[in-house]
Amino acid sequence: MAPPTKTIRNSSIGHGNDGPCSLPDQLSSCLSINYLPDSILRFIGEYLRKSSRAIMASALSRSACFESDTLDFSDTGRDLAPKLTDSDISNILVSIDAVNALKVLKLIGCTNITGTGLDPLRGSTVLEQIDLSSSDNATIANGEDLFSPNFPWCFTLSEDAVIPILDSIIAEKDRALNHVQLPLVWRKKKSKQLVEFLESYNLVKSSRLCLCVQCDDVVESSVWMNQIIDSSDWGLQSHTCYDCTEHICQECEAGFCQDCRKQFCEDCCTTKICEMCYSAFCSECEDLAVCEVCDNYFCQDCMPVRFCDCCNRDRCVDCMLHWDCSRCGKSNCDDCADEHNVQWCEVCEDEYCNDCRLEDYNNGELDCKGCRGLLLPRIMHEKEALSRENEMLKFVVINALNEISKDPSKAMCIECTDKDVQEDDCIITVAV
């Protein structure tokens, strides 16, 4: 058998990322993951999400763990992303050589950073998109927030830390930056520093020839970032797809999602438009209701598509009239207008379902004559059903008594097979 030193010397573990190791180092660290070859690290990274690979690259100081041009922290999970600090972000960006390799950076979920950790991206000529919307629920901290138990979660990215980095990127002659997603709290604040950045960004974007990804026409626009002060879209980028960062001309523009406030091209994300308010929503934000009759889409705010609790069908109010119980919320379409549906009383002007009216009737609380009239078909139907049950029960009892009168020994041989027969047998026993 070969001696251990020879086995270690001849193995790939003895040759780390930086070349051959000394024999003591081989003996003490032969099982360390730091001495695994790059091919093994890449193989391990295939089982991890991209953000986890980047964190692994930072922990091991081995860029081979991360071989992607996209870093999205939204896939790290709700527990990990909020715990990342500026130091963590900086180490990750340095370890993956982000300034020369990273094209897309999304800080979604990173609510514990101020932005100083983005300094390794300063002057990048390869970065195409940066999403700074770490949290749309963030607020601008004041003196009281400094002593809040939620500190520092209430803070958002610092404009003083991030905007100079963005300025250094757009100042590069060979810049590749196509899309910037700003935090909601920045767009609400509208600081002088941010206004100046938007003006610079629009200026440098307009200085370049941009072609539409769908029709190949020139995108003629001098306003890439909305600068209308009174607009709710102030600070949002237009004419650019959020997913592929390609440009879209005004004639080919797809719907602008009213929920996530992002724009997409037709190839990246399908948008659906509400037939009532004409608002557009992407497929990832809101599942629009569709009418089974006219096939039109409607958003949750308009809510014209109603579900009938009787026939279990979804139809809009233009295709089918619906009635809602003001007490239990039960809904019925006009096709299901029988004694079980929701009806409006002309006397008391209440709109209840007959289940609620029957409950009040049984409790002696239904005083309205109009409601009693609406409930009458339901009561008559139940009485007819009860009468049929009594007739069936009477028939069973008579037959059983006739059998017993012929042979009294059969009285002890009557067996029950279900609940209804058990009740009949009890009556038969009493009769005997």
Short mmCIF file of all heavy atoms in Angstrom, two decimals, residues 133-160:
data_model
loop_
_atom_site.label_atom_id
_atom_site.label_comp_id
_atom_site.label_asym_id
_atom_site.label_seq_id
_atom_site.Cartn_x
_atom_site.Cartn_y
_atom_site.Cartn_z
N SER A 133 -35.02 48.32 -5.00
CA SER A 133 -36.27 48.26 -4.21
C SER A 133 -36.17 47.17 -3.17
O SER A 133 -36.81 46.12 -3.25
CB SER A 133 -37.47 48.02 -5.13
OG SER A 133 -37.28 46.83 -5.89
N SER A 134 -35.31 47.39 -2.16
CA SER A 134 -35.10 46.38 -1.12
C SER A 134 -36.38 46.06 -0.39
O SER A 134 -36.64 44.91 -0.03
CB SER A 134 -34.04 46.86 -0.13
OG SER A 134 -34.42 48.12 0.44
N SER A 135 -37.22 47.07 -0.16
CA SER A 135 -38.51 46.84 0.50
C SER A 135 -39.39 48.04 0.25
O SER A 135 -39.02 49.18 0.56
CB SER A 135 -38.34 46.62 2.01
OG SER A 135 -39.60 46.53 2.63
N ASP A 136 -40.58 47.81 -0.31
CA ASP A 136 -41.52 48.89 -0.53
C ASP A 136 -42.22 49.31 0.76
O ASP A 136 -42.96 50.28 0.79
CB ASP A 136 -42.58 48.48 -1.56
CG ASP A 136 -42.02 48.54 -2.98
OD1 ASP A 136 -40.94 49.15 -3.16
OD2 ASP A 136 -42.65 47.97 -3.89
N ASN A 137 -41.98 48.56 1.85
CA ASN A 137 -42.59 48.90 3.13
C ASN A 137 -41.65 49.74 4.00
O ASN A 137 -41.97 50.08 5.12
CB ASN A 137 -42.97 47.62 3.89
CG ASN A 137 -44.04 46.83 3.18
OD1 ASN A 137 -44.94 47.41 2.59
ND2 ASN A 137 -43.95 45.52 3.23
N ALA A 138 -40.46 50.05 3.47
CA ALA A 138 -39.50 50.81 4.25
C ALA A 138 -39.95 52.25 4.40
O ALA A 138 -40.68 52.79 3.57
CB ALA A 138 -38.13 50.75 3.58
N THR A 139 -39.49 52.87 5.44
CA THR A 139 -39.83 54.27 5.69
C THR A 139 -38.56 55.05 5.97
O THR A 139 -37.51 54.48 6.28
CB THR A 139 -40.77 54.41 6.90
OG1 THR A 139 -40.14 53.82 8.05
CG2 THR A 139 -42.09 53.71 6.64
N ILE A 140 -38.64 56.36 5.88
CA ILE A 140 -37.49 57.21 6.21
C ILE A 140 -37.45 57.39 7.71
O ILE A 140 -38.42 57.83 8.33
CB ILE A 140 -37.61 58.56 5.50
CG1 ILE A 140 -37.66 58.34 3.98
CG2 ILE A 140 -36.46 59.47 5.86
CD1 ILE A 140 -37.87 59.61 3.20
N ALA A 141 -36.33 57.07 8.32
CA ALA A 141 -36.22 57.10 9.77
C ALA A 141 -36.09 58.53 10.28
O ALA A 141 -35.50 59.39 9.64
CB ALA A 141 -35.02 56.28 10.22
N ASN A 142 -36.66 58.74 11.46
CA ASN A 142 -36.50 60.02 12.13
C ASN A 142 -35.90 59.77 13.50
O ASN A 142 -35.45 58.66 13.81
CB ASN A 142 -37.84 60.76 12.24
CG ASN A 142 -38.92 59.88 12.85
OD1 ASN A 142 -38.63 59.06 13.72
ND2 ASN A 142 -40.16 60.06 12.42
N GLY A 143 -35.90 60.79 14.34
CA GLY A 143 -35.27 60.64 15.65
C GLY A 143 -35.86 59.54 16.50
O GLY A 143 -35.15 58.82 17.19
N GLU A 144 -37.20 59.40 16.47
CA GLU A 144 -37.85 58.38 17.28
C GLU A 144 -37.53 56.98 16.78
O GLU A 144 -37.44 56.04 17.57
CB GLU A 144 -39.37 58.61 17.28
CG GLU A 144 -39.79 59.93 17.91
CD GLU A 144 -41.30 60.10 17.86
OE1 GLU A 144 -41.96 59.24 17.25
OE2 GLU A 144 -41.80 61.09 18.41
N ASP A 145 -37.34 56.83 15.45
CA ASP A 145 -37.05 55.51 14.90
C ASP A 145 -35.71 54.97 15.37
O ASP A 145 -35.47 53.76 15.37
CB ASP A 145 -37.06 55.56 13.36
CG ASP A 145 -38.46 55.80 12.82
OD1 ASP A 145 -39.41 55.32 13.46
OD2 ASP A 145 -38.59 56.47 11.79
N LEU A 146 -34.81 55.87 15.77
CA LEU A 146 -33.51 55.42 16.24
C LEU A 146 -33.63 54.57 17.49
O LEU A 146 -32.76 53.75 17.78
CB LEU A 146 -32.61 56.63 16.51
CG LEU A 146 -32.27 57.51 15.29
CD1 LEU A 146 -31.47 58.72 15.73
CD2 LEU A 146 -31.50 56.70 14.25
N PHE A 147 -34.71 54.76 18.24
CA PHE A 147 -34.91 54.00 19.48
C PHE A 147 -36.02 52.97 19.33
O PHE A 147 -36.47 52.40 20.32
CB PHE A 147 -35.24 54.97 20.62
CG PHE A 147 -34.20 56.04 20.83
CD1 PHE A 147 -34.36 57.29 20.25
CD2 PHE A 147 -33.07 55.79 21.58
CE1 PHE A 147 -33.40 58.28 20.42
CE2 PHE A 147 -32.11 56.77 21.75
CZ PHE A 147 -32.27 58.01 21.18
N SER A 148 -36.43 52.74 18.09
CA SER A 148 -37.49 51.76 17.84
C SER A 148 -36.95 50.35 17.98
O SER A 148 -35.80 50.06 17.63
CB SER A 148 -38.07 51.95 16.42
OG SER A 148 -38.91 50.88 16.08
N PRO A 149 -37.78 49.41 18.53
CA PRO A 149 -37.33 48.01 18.62
C PRO A 149 -37.13 47.39 17.25
O PRO A 149 -36.49 46.34 17.13
CB PRO A 149 -38.48 47.33 19.38
CG PRO A 149 -39.66 48.21 19.16
CD PRO A 149 -39.11 49.60 19.09
N ASN A 150 -37.65 48.02 16.19
CA ASN A 150 -37.48 47.50 14.84
C ASN A 150 -36.20 47.98 14.18
O ASN A 150 -35.92 47.65 13.03
CB ASN A 150 -38.67 47.90 13.95
CG ASN A 150 -39.95 47.24 14.41
OD1 ASN A 150 -39.93 46.10 14.87
ND2 ASN A 150 -41.05 47.95 14.30
N PHE A 151 -35.42 48.83 14.89
CA PHE A 151 -34.18 49.33 14.31
C PHE A 151 -33.25 48.16 14.00
O PHE A 151 -33.10 47.25 14.79
CB PHE A 151 -33.51 50.28 15.30
CG PHE A 151 -32.18 50.82 14.83
CD1 PHE A 151 -32.15 51.93 14.03
CD2 PHE A 151 -31.00 50.19 15.18
CE1 PHE A 151 -30.93 52.44 13.59
CE2 PHE A 151 -29.80 50.69 14.75
CZ PHE A 151 -29.75 51.82 13.95
N PRO A 152 -32.59 48.12 12.81
CA PRO A 152 -32.60 49.12 11.75
C PRO A 152 -33.54 48.76 10.61
O PRO A 152 -33.35 49.21 9.50
CB PRO A 152 -31.14 49.09 11.27
CG PRO A 152 -30.77 47.64 11.39
CD PRO A 152 -31.55 47.10 12.57
N TRP A 153 -34.52 47.91 10.88
CA TRP A 153 -35.38 47.43 9.80
C TRP A 153 -36.21 48.54 9.17
O TRP A 153 -36.67 48.42 8.04
CB TRP A 153 -36.31 46.34 10.32
CG TRP A 153 -35.59 45.30 11.12
CD1 TRP A 153 -35.65 45.12 12.46
CD2 TRP A 153 -34.68 44.33 10.64
NE1 TRP A 153 -34.83 44.10 12.85
CE2 TRP A 153 -34.23 43.58 11.75
CE3 TRP A 153 -34.17 44.00 9.38
CZ2 TRP A 153 -33.32 42.53 11.63
CZ3 TRP A 153 -33.27 42.96 9.27
CH2 TRP A 153 -32.85 42.25 10.39
N CYS A 154 -36.43 49.63 9.89
CA CYS A 154 -37.25 50.70 9.35
C CYS A 154 -36.49 51.57 8.36
O CYS A 154 -37.08 52.44 7.74
CB CYS A 154 -37.79 51.56 10.50
SG CYS A 154 -36.49 52.23 11.56
N PHE A 155 -35.19 51.38 8.22
CA PHE A 155 -34.40 52.21 7.33
C PHE A 155 -34.37 51.63 5.92
O PHE A 155 -34.50 50.43 5.72
CB PHE A 155 -32.96 52.32 7.85
CG PHE A 155 -32.84 53.25 9.02
CD1 PHE A 155 -33.05 52.80 10.31
CD2 PHE A 155 -32.53 54.59 8.83
CE1 PHE A 155 -32.95 53.66 11.38
CE2 PHE A 155 -32.42 55.45 9.90
CZ PHE A 155 -32.63 54.99 11.17
N THR A 156 -34.15 52.50 4.97
CA THR A 156 -33.98 52.09 3.59
C THR A 156 -32.57 52.44 3.15
O THR A 156 -31.75 52.92 3.93
CB THR A 156 -35.01 52.79 2.69
OG1 THR A 156 -34.88 52.29 1.37
CG2 THR A 156 -34.81 54.29 2.70
N LEU A 157 -32.28 52.20 1.87
CA LEU A 157 -30.98 52.53 1.34
C LEU A 157 -30.72 54.04 1.43
O LEU A 157 -31.63 54.84 1.29
CB LEU A 157 -30.87 52.08 -0.11
CG LEU A 157 -30.88 50.57 -0.36
CD1 LEU A 157 -31.01 50.29 -1.85
CD2 LEU A 157 -29.62 49.94 0.17
N SER A 158 -29.48 54.38 1.64
CA SER A 158 -29.11 55.79 1.76
C SER A 158 -28.80 56.37 0.38
O SER A 158 -27.99 55.81 -0.37
CB SER A 158 -27.88 55.92 2.67
OG SER A 158 -27.37 57.23 2.62
N GLU A 159 -29.43 57.47 0.06
CA GLU A 159 -29.15 58.13 -1.21
C GLU A 159 -27.72 58.64 -1.25
O GLU A 159 -27.06 58.62 -2.31
CB GLU A 159 -30.13 59.29 -1.41
CG GLU A 159 -31.58 58.85 -1.54
CD GLU A 159 -32.52 60.03 -1.71
OE1 GLU A 159 -32.04 61.18 -1.57
OE2 GLU A 159 -33.71 59.82 -1.98
N ASP A 160 -27.20 59.09 -0.11
CA ASP A 160 -25.83 59.61 -0.06
C ASP A 160 -24.81 58.53 -0.38
O ASP A 160 -23.72 58.84 -0.89
CB ASP A 160 -25.54 60.19 1.33
CG ASP A 160 -26.39 61.42 1.64
OD1 ASP A 160 -26.79 62.09 0.66
OD2 ASP A 160 -26.66 61.67 2.82
#
